C-alpha cells in the first residue's frame, strides 16, 4: 500500500516554495522575467511510495516508469497504480547528423505498477490521452481529458478503453 508521488514533482514543489512561487528562482524585484520565460513541464520518470508509521514512516523509490511522461492521469486501485497516457518526449536526430530535436508525443498507453510484485506492465489503448482528470469506481477508471467533450472509461480487468458519456453542452457558453 502507501501513497505515491513523483520525486521530480516533489523536488519542483520544494524549489517553487523557495523561490516565492516562480519556477525560475526569480525574486519579486524581477517581476517581468518569469512572465517572459516559458515554463518547462516536469517529466515523470521516477515514482516513490510512502509507507505509514507502522511500516517505517518513510518514502521508498520504486522501479522507474517504463515511459517517461508529463500530464498523465493517475489512479490507484487494488494494490496497483495506473498512469494513463501523458506526453512523452522523444529525441530525434536528423539524417544529416545535425543536432537532435525533442518531439512531444501523446501516449496511448496505460502504465500499471503492481505494488505486490514491484514491477510495471504496459497496456496499449486505442487513443492518445493527456492532461487527464481521473476517478475510480469499482474496476473502472473514468477519464476526462481537457481537449475532449466526453468521458471515457478504462476497464482495469480487460485493459479496454471505451466511451462512457458525452458532456452536455452548456447553454450561453461559447465553445
Amino acid at each position: 500500500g502507501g501513497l505515491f508521488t513523483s520525486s521530480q514533482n516533489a523536488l519542483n514543489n520544494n524549489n517553487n516554495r523557495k523561490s516565492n512561487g516562480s519556477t525560475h528562482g526569480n525574486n519579486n524585484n524581477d517581476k517581468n522575467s518569469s512572465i517572459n520565460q516559458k515554463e518547462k513541464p516536469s517529466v515523470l520518470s521516477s515514482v516513490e511510495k510512502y509507507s505509514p508509521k507502522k511500516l517505517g514512516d518513510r518514502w521508498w523509490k520504486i522501479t522507474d516508469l517504463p515511459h517517461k511522461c508529463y500530464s498523465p492521469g493517475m489512479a490507484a486501485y487494488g494494490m496497483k497504480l495506473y498512469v494513463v497516457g501523458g506526453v512523452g518526449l522523444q529525441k530525434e536526430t536528423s539524417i544529416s547528423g545535425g543536432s537532435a530535436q525533442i518531439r512531444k508525443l501523446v501516449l496511448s498507453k496505460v502504465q500499471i505498477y503492481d505494488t505486490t510484485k514491484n514491477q510495471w506492465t504496459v497496456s496499449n489503448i486505442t487513443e492518445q490521452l493527456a492532461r487527464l482528470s481521473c476517478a475510480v469506481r469499482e474496476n473502472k477508471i473514468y477519464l476526462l481529458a481537457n481537449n475532449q467533450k466526453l468521458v471515457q472509461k478504462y476497464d482495469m480487468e480487460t485493459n479496454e478503453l471505451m466511451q462512457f458519456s458525452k458532456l452536455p453542452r452548456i447553454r450561453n457558453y461559447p465553445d
Side-chain angles (χ1 to χ4, degrees), residues 26-122:
N26 299 324
N27 62 29
N28 290 333
N29 296 333
D30 192 9
K31 293 178 183 175
N32 292 329
S33 60
S34 65
I35 294 170
N36 295 330
Q37 296 178 5
K38 186 174 180 181
E39 293 183 26
K40 294 181 182 177
S42 297
V43 176
L44 177 64
S45 61
S46 65
V47 179
E48 297 177 347
K49 70 177 181 177
Y50 173 71
S51 296
K53 287 184 181 180
K54 69 179 184 177
L55 298 175
D57 190 26
R58 60 182 270 194
W59 288 94
W60 301 83
K61 185 178 183 307
I62 62 173
T63 58
D64 286 344
L65 201 60
H67 300 276
K68 298 176 183 179
C69 62
Y70 66 91
S71 295
M74 297 179 83
Y77 183 78
M79 302 302 291
K80 293 182 180 179
L81 173 69
Y82 294 81
V83 179
V84 183
V87 180
L89 301 177
Q90 184 176 25
K91 188 182 274 190
E92 293 182 344
T93 55
S94 66
I95 297 171
S96 63
S99 63
Q101 298 286 332
I102 303 295
R103 186 173 72 115
K104 295 179 182 179
L105 177 66
V106 179
L107 301 178
S108 56
K109 300 181 181 312
V110 178
Q111 302 178 76
I112 306 161
Y113 176 71
D114 187 326
T115 61
T116 60
K117 297 177 182 175
N118 190 33
Q119 72 181 29
W120 289 95
T121 56
V122 178

Side-chain angles (χ1 to χ4, degrees), residues 133-149:
S133 295
C134 298
V136 175
R137 181 165 190 258
E138 297 174 356
N139 64 337
K140 310 279 190 295
I141 301 173
Y142 294 86
L143 308 158
L144 178 62
N146 74 344
N147 62 346
Q148 295 181 341
K149 295 182 180 183

